[in-house]
Amino acid sequence: MLTIKKKQVEIINTIKLLLYKENPSVLEKIDFENDTIFLEPLLFAYFNSKKDQLFSETLLTEILQGYFIEKEPIILKESFNKEEVTYVPNLGYFDVQGNKVDDILKIDTFEILKTCHPLLEKYFVEYYKGHIVNHNPLHKSVWKENIIDLEKSILIIKEHLLEFYNEFVFANKKIYLHNNSKILNFASIETLGMLYFYTLAENNLIYFIEEIIHQASHNYLYYVLFDKNTFFKIDSEKTIMRELTKQEWDYRNVYGAFHGLYTVTKRVECFDILLTKNVFKGREKHELLGRMADMFPLFQTGLELLNLDEVYTEKGKDLYLELTQKCQKILDKYEKIKNEFDLS
């Protein structure tokens, strides 16, 4: 954890530098030693939006004003979303007249967003076979309908999966729940610390547990692989898997495929703990076993075909082998359930 903490400090220092270059006066208004401020996901989204030129520097103040040491009149100009509501981190939600209409909602250490900030909209897309088929899909927040199951899932993780929970807390800050199942659940390094889930009609407990493990592990791995050159000899983001494996269907880049291995391994590891502890009964246990069975076809989907010495540094190869061996060992325990579930 010490090594990954150093990587987090590097990222925090990068955000501080970007803030200084963009608007040095704003740094005088916030607590420079409060790392929470510089891990605000909307800050990552803001600086990654610069290339789009859709927002002015005013938005930076709007994002950070909730962290000002001395409170100032609220500035609300560019933060309003399609619902004409603006979300101000650490303050709450406001209407176009500047009236506060809702408070911040937290479960444990995680904030549950009640509406979507306009900076995040560009990340909501519908994919099909690696291609974007809808750049502007509709979605709306459904936090009210799902808050009970979400809270239960987080508290179960905290009680029974402590090692993963610590990683969850380290790399993840906020969760947004929406109603469009065509938008695949995701996390993005450009909004580091955010998790985005669509929700099922009902019975979301096991679903939330899996998706938290899955997507939160992406955010954690962004930190682990922050210095990609220490893990890969090749350009892992530009090298497409099918170029190396000759599997024409595989449109992933090597970096994304590695993320897939990591998140499958994390799910298998956590599922095994929950099943070994016999945490669930009845329908929920059956669903968890089904989700474990679903991991078999998701494991070994192409990385095993690569020449390890050409693709990875020694550090990268060690991590790859550690993950594959761990995942295989656990899956071997559940071999008998492999064909017991219809996964079509």
Side-chain angles (χ1 to χ4, degrees):
M1 183 65 82
L2 181 60
T3 300
I4 198 168
K5 181 61 180 175
K6 288 181 179 179
K7 293 180 181 181
Q8 188 180 69
V9 170
E10 286 184 53
I11 291 173
I12 289 170
N13 288 338
T14 299
I15 293 295
K16 287 179 176 180
L17 180 59
L18 289 171
L19 279 170
Y20 177 76
K21 290 180 177 179
E22 182 86 359
N23 187 347
S25 64
V26 78
L27 287 174
E28 299 173 2
K29 300 180 179 182
I30 58 180
D31 180 359
F32 195 74
E33 302 304 320
N34 183 356
D35 289 348
T36 298
I37 298 174
F38 304 102
L39 293 172
E40 166 58 53
L42 288 184
L43 279 182
F44 292 93
Y46 173 80
F47 287 113
N48 280 295
S49 75
K50 298 295 287 182
K51 57 185 178 291
D52 303 321
Q53 298 182 327
L54 296 176
F55 303 96
S56 75
E57 187 184 304
T58 301
L59 184 57
L60 188 59
T61 299
E62 293 185 41
I63 293 168
L64 287 173
Q65 59 191 329
Y67 297 107
F68 287 176
I69 297 170
E70 296 183 9
K71 300 308 176 186
E72 300 180 1
I74 299 294
I75 297 174
L76 304 173
K77 293 182 179 179
E78 300 186 38
S79 299
F80 289 102
N81 60 17
K82 296 174 182 178
E83 300 166 356
E84 296 191 329
V85 173
T86 184
Y87 160 64
V88 181
N90 211 39
L91 277 186
Y93 301 83
F94 298 82
D95 64 18
V96 291
Q97 284 78 39
N99 302 309
K100 188 173 183 179
V101 294
D102 218 334
D103 295 316
I104 300 291
L105 173 64
K106 279 197 169 186
I107 296 175
D108 197 47
T109 68
F110 308 99
E111 183 178 342
I112 313 306
L113 291 194
K114 296 180 177 179
T115 190
C116 187
H117 193 281
L119 271 172
L120 306 178
E121 282 293 344
K122 74 171 187 177
Y123 299 101
F124 290 86
V125 294
E126 295 176 7
Y127 276 100
Y128 181 72
K129 293 186 176 180
H131 298 287
I132 298 175
V133 295
N134 187 352
H135 286 269
N136 191 30
L138 296 176
H139 62 89
K140 69 175 183 178
S141 171
V142 287
W143 69 268
K144 288 182 180 178
E145 301 90 328
N146 294 277
I147 195 67
I148 293 175
D149 277 349
L150 183 62
E151 182 172 25
K152 285 181 181 177
S153 67
I154 290 172
L155 296 180
I156 286 169
I157 288 170
K158 184 175 184 178
E159 181 179 357
H160 297 287
L161 302 171
L162 186 57
E163 182 178 344
F164 168 74
Y165 173 79
N166 289 333
E167 296 173 355
F168 182 24
V169 171
F170 176 84
N172 299 272
K173 309 301 175 189
K174 304 184 182 187
I175 301 170
Y176 175 69
L177 305 177
H178 64 87
N179 66 338
N180 188 341
S181 61
K182 294 181 180 179
I183 302 170
L184 299 179
N185 294 338
F186 69 97
S188 170
I189 196 169
E190 292 195 2
T191 64
L192 187 60
M194 275 292 307
L195 299 174
Y196 308 84
F197 304 143
Y198 70 82
T199 61
L200 306 175
E202 56 185 8
N203 298 323
N204 283 305
L205 180 62
I206 304 299
Y207 166 75
F208 279 144
I209 288 173
E210 174 172 6
E211 286 307 313
I212 287 171
I213 298 167
H214 182 179
Q215 303 304 333
S217 293
H218 279 301
N219 276 338
Y220 188 78
L221 191 60
Y222 289 138
Y223 283 99
V224 174
L225 301 181
F226 181 62
D227 301 313
K228 297 183 187 67
N229 291 336
T230 65
F231 293 90
F232 300 97
K233 291 181 179 179
I234 62 173
D235 189 328
S236 60
E237 291 189 292
K238 291 185 178 179
T239 305
I240 305 302
M241 285 290 291
R242 60 183 165 215
E243 296 172 359
L244 302 178
T245 66
K246 309 309 177 186
Q247 295 186 119
E248 287 304 314
W249 63 268
D250 200 346
Y251 53 83
R252 301 171 298 172
N253 59 28
V254 172
Y255 181 72
F258 197 91
H259 264 263
L261 169 63
Y262 185 83
T263 57
V264 166
T265 301
K266 277 294 176 182
R267 278 177 281 173
V268 166
E269 186 178 24
C270 291
F271 291 172
D272 179 46
I273 293 171
L274 294 173
L275 289 166
T276 300
K277 288 185 172 184
N278 209 24
V279 174
F280 300 105
K281 309 288 184 184
R283 185 198 63 78
E284 290 171 347
K285 183 174 183 178
H286 183 80
E287 182 179 347
L288 185 59
L289 283 166
R291 290 181 181 275
M292 177 66 92
D294 195 35
M295 295 299 103
F296 282 91
L298 299 180
F299 179 56
Q300 302 287 49
T301 59
L303 287 177
E304 73 280 5
L305 302 175
L306 303 183
N307 183 318
L308 302 188
D309 292 320
E310 290 181 2
V311 172
Y312 301 107
T313 63
E314 284 302 310
K315 187 174 183 178
K317 185 164 69 172
D318 287 346
L319 180 56
Y320 168 78
L321 292 173
E322 176 189 339
L323 293 171
T324 53
Q325 290 165 8
K326 179 187 293 184
C327 194
Q328 186 66 69
K329 183 178 180 180
I330 297 173
L331 286 176
D332 286 346
K333 290 173 55 178
Y334 296 90
E335 183 70 28
K336 63 183 179 182
I337 71 167
K338 182 177 180 180
N339 299 313
E340 292 298 315
F341 293 83
D342 180 4
L343 303 175
S344 59

